[in-house]
Amino acid sequence: FNPTTTMKFSVDKTLHTTLKVYSVLGQLVASLFDDIAEPGRYYEVRFDGASFASGIYFMRLENSEQSQIKKMLLVK
């Protein structure tokens, strides 16, 4: 992405959910969602990487029932 991207997600159950972005070194660079997510609804969260260096970042979507990690490449 360059320099913004939109992340979309949904959940199966009503749960407290977080969506965070980490650097390749494991440092938290952005907390994009930290709230109760409800089933049947699609959430869209925008990440602006304009103030970050080019490189690999990881998006982590997590709640008490699941955890997903996806790799992102920021190219400026």
Side-chain angles (χ1 to χ4, degrees), residues 5-23:
T5 187
T6 301
M7 300 173 204
K8 301 176 186 179
F9 69 94
S10 64
V11 294
D12 295 332
K13 295 181 182 177
T14 302
L15 296 168
H16 182 261
T17 302
T18 60
L19 178 64
K20 297 179 180 183
V21 177
Y22 295 88
S23 71

Side-chain angles (χ1 to χ4, degrees), residues 11-42:
V11 294
D12 295 332
K13 295 181 182 177
T14 302
L15 296 168
H16 182 261
T17 302
T18 60
L19 178 64
K20 297 179 180 183
V21 177
Y22 295 88
S23 71
V24 73
L25 298 175
Q27 298 170 322
L28 177 66
V29 297
S31 182
L32 303 177
F33 187 88
D34 189 358
D35 205 350
I36 302 295
E38 298 176 356
R41 182 173 172 201
Y42 286 94

Side-chain angles (χ1 to χ4, degrees), residues 54-72:
S54 294
I56 297 173
Y57 293 87
F58 295 93
M59 179 267 317
R60 182 174 187 173
L61 177 66
E62 184 175 31
N63 59 38
S64 62
E65 300 223 343
Q66 69 175 345
S67 179
Q68 296 179 2
I69 298 175
K70 296 194 178 186
K71 184 167 65 170
M72 304 183 299

